[in-house]
């Protein structure tokens, strides 16, 4: 299988607000794209590992997002809940090239929540 077939172009990085998010709807579920204040872009399954809250509606601080339902903190670069909480949201590879964001629809290995 060609890995390039999993990548889709999302659009300009400026369409994702700093410390905010955008949602990409896929056949496998929603994927939230987050942009940090430094301009880094990350993608996680839009579902908190705790009670399934929409992470895209959470607050981004540093490289973490706080679930809007119960304030669980999820690391944007790993998808892993910050201790003492446990669990993970599936992480998806992202590339930014010439100001355009591309998203891989195949999640990274290691998180059972996809």
């Amino acid at each position: 299988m060609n890995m390039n077939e999993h990548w889709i172009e999302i659009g300009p990085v400026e369409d994702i607000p700093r410390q905010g998010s955008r949602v990409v709807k896929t056949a496998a579920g929603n994927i939230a794209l987050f942009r940090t204040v430094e301009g880094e872009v990350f993608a996680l399954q839009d579902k908190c590992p705790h009670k399934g809250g929409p992470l895209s509606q959470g607050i981004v601080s540093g490289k973490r997002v706080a679930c809007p339902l119960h304030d669980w903190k999820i690391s944007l670069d790993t998808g892993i809940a910050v201790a003492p909480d446990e669990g993970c949201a599936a992480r998806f590879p992202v590339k930014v090239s010439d100001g355009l964001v591309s998203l891989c629809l195949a999640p990274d290995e290691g998180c059972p929540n996809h």
Side-chain angles (χ1 to χ4, degrees):
M1 180 178 290
N2 182 350
M3 288 302 292
N4 288 334
E5 69 188 53
H6 293 291
W7 286 89
I8 60 172
E9 187 175 293
I10 302 300
V13 70
E14 290 82 18
D15 286 354
I16 306 170
R18 290 183 189 266
Q19 294 183 287
S21 66
R22 288 290 182 260
V23 174
V24 176
K25 295 181 186 232
T26 74
N30 291 348
I31 299 172
L33 290 163
F34 300 94
R35 187 173 175 209
T36 67
V37 72
E38 291 83 16
E40 292 180 280
V41 179
F42 298 95
L44 299 177
Q45 182 181 31
D46 191 18
K47 187 175 178 183
C48 179
H50 178 225
K51 298 280 186 179
L55 295 176
S56 60
Q57 295 179 24
I59 296 172
V60 174
S61 177
K63 290 186 180 180
R64 296 178 179 176
V65 61
C67 177
L69 295 184
H70 300 98
D71 200 33
W72 275 37
K73 310 292 188 292
I74 310 297
S75 176
L76 293 175
D77 54 357
T78 64
I80 297 173
V82 176
D85 299 321
E86 296 179 353
C88 67
R91 180 188 171 280
F92 296 81
V94 174
K95 293 188 289 191
V96 179
S97 178
D98 296 327
L100 294 175
V101 177
S102 296
L103 170 68
C104 180
L105 298 177
D108 285 343
E109 298 291 327
C111 178
N113 297 333
H114 58 85

